Amino acid sequence: MSYSPEDLPKLLAATRKIATQAGEAIINVYNEGFEVTDKDDKSPLTTADLASHHSIVDGLKALTSDIPILSEESRLLPFETRSSWETYWLIDPLDGTKEFIKRNGEFTVNIALVHQHKLVLGVVYAPVLGLSYYAAKGHGSFKSTKDGDTLPIKTRDQTPKEPVIAGSRSHAGDSLIAFLGKVGSHELISMGSSLKICLVAEGKADLYPRFGLTSEWDTAAAQCVVEEAGGELTDLDFKQLLYNTKESLLNPHFMVIGNTKHDWGSYL
């Protein structure tokens, strides 16, 4: 499984095109109407999830035929098989299916490249909003808008007296309410999918605390974006989230942090 850091700019450009193509496949379903079924875990699945999955897998196989692919919509492989992977693609073809069903536009295509359990490339594309966030290790983080404007992004290096907290639109719970009570005066921005992580990456939010279940494909691409922007995505012990280290693909509860010097642990 070949991978070289020198390949990253070329891979990033190609991955952005693959994400855009997947977004077009999603929009076709979005505009024409879709059916919703339940997966084994009772989470929703639409024809758009599958259309995006096939588009991305075909694109990545053509790009790097020797690098394995792990997708939310593919057959889950046992850790015994995955543990031999030094490098692999990790994708969520449609992150925020609930937001897709609500038709609020707050869903994304997530594509990440993982090397030795850490992120080296990430693309987050929101097709309805026309927003793209992307990063490669050592090359910074960027945001591209539907107008074609591209600009580098950075996390906030100062936390205001009233910090801006990003929260899930569909998964708010008692733990978040208790945490916000300890934070005190704050502004809460509710949003769907991995866009919450990107809000921290671009300095529009100071923190995104997640006290609920997520999977590794939910966070990987945006974690690369926020890390290259100067922030962190950590567990509640403030250790960096690592990938493909265990049988389960579930993440622990986590924090997405903009200003890493701020004592966020005092609110836990």
Side-chain angles (χ1 to χ4, degrees):
M1 284 166 272
S2 60
Y3 159 77
S4 171
E6 291 75 25
D7 298 333
L8 285 176
K10 179 181 176 182
L11 286 175
L12 182 59
T15 304
R16 291 186 62 204
K17 290 181 181 178
I18 291 170
T20 300
Q21 291 167 352
E24 291 172 354
I26 290 172
I27 292 299
N28 288 338
V29 177
Y30 193 71
N31 291 336
E32 294 173 4
F34 49 87
E35 294 181 357
V36 182
T37 58
D38 283 340
K39 292 191 279 191
D40 292 342
D41 63 359
K42 302 302 180 183
S43 61
L45 175 70
T46 72
T47 45
D49 294 79
L50 299 175
S52 178
H53 164 80
H54 292 301
S55 178
I56 296 169
V57 169
D58 289 348
L60 291 179
K61 283 182 176 178
L63 178 64
T64 54
S65 59
D66 56 340
I67 297 180
I69 302 167
L70 181 62
S71 166
E72 178 178 12
E73 307 310 339
S74 62
R75 181 175 61 87
L76 292 184
L77 299 171
F79 183 60
E80 182 181 6
T81 301
R82 291 184 281 112
S83 62
S84 65
W85 297 352
E86 183 179 54
T87 307
Y88 69 103
W89 293 102
L90 179 58
I91 65 177
D92 189 343
L94 203 170
D95 181 31
T97 301
K98 290 182 179 179
E99 314 310 324
F100 176 87
I101 295 169
K102 294 175 186 175
R103 305 185 71 90
N104 65 17
E106 294 176 1
F107 53 85
T108 59
V109 174
N110 298 343
I111 307 177
L113 185 63
V114 183
H115 179 66
Q116 295 178 347
H117 310 295
K118 296 184 179 182
L119 286 313
V120 294
L121 180 153
V123 174
V124 176
Y125 177 55
V128 171
L129 305 178
L131 286 178
S132 180
Y133 297 88
Y134 54 95
K137 187 173 178 60
H139 295 274
S141 286
F142 297 86
K143 175 184 179 180
S144 179
T145 69
K146 60 183 177 182
D147 298 325
D149 297 328
T150 298
L151 61 155
I153 57 175
K154 284 286 185 184
T155 57
R156 279 202 258 206
D157 56 8
Q158 297 291 328
T159 305
K161 289 184 178 179
E162 291 192 0
V164 178
I165 310 294
S168 174
R169 191 178 294 285
S170 298
H171 300 280
D174 293 341
S175 296
L176 176 60
I177 293 170
F179 177 83
L180 294 177
K182 295 179 181 177
V183 171
S185 183
H186 65 277
E187 177 186 351
L188 179 66
I189 301 179
S190 296
M191 188 167 284
S193 72
S194 57
L195 290 170
K196 297 181 289 295
I197 301 174
C198 296
L199 286 177
V200 178
E202 65 177 317
K204 289 186 176 179
D206 298 290
L207 183 75
Y208 165 38
R210 181 57 186 255
F211 306 114
L213 292 180
T214 57
S215 296
E216 294 187 0
W217 45 69
D218 293 314
T219 53
Q223 180 170 343
C224 186
V225 172
V226 78
E227 287 178 345
E228 283 298 304
E232 294 179 344
L233 197 159
T234 74
D235 63 20
L236 298 189
D237 292 322
F238 299 97
K239 295 178 181 177
Q240 181 187 38
L241 254 62
L242 301 178
Y243 289 79
N244 196 31
T245 63
K246 60 189 188 308
E247 184 70 48
S248 172
L249 290 168
L250 293 176
N251 287 324
H253 295 178
F254 62 80
M255 310 269 275
V256 183
I257 298 166
N259 176 11
T260 58
K261 297 182 177 67
H262 189 87
D263 182 17
W264 298 108
S266 63
Y267 307 129
L268 291 172

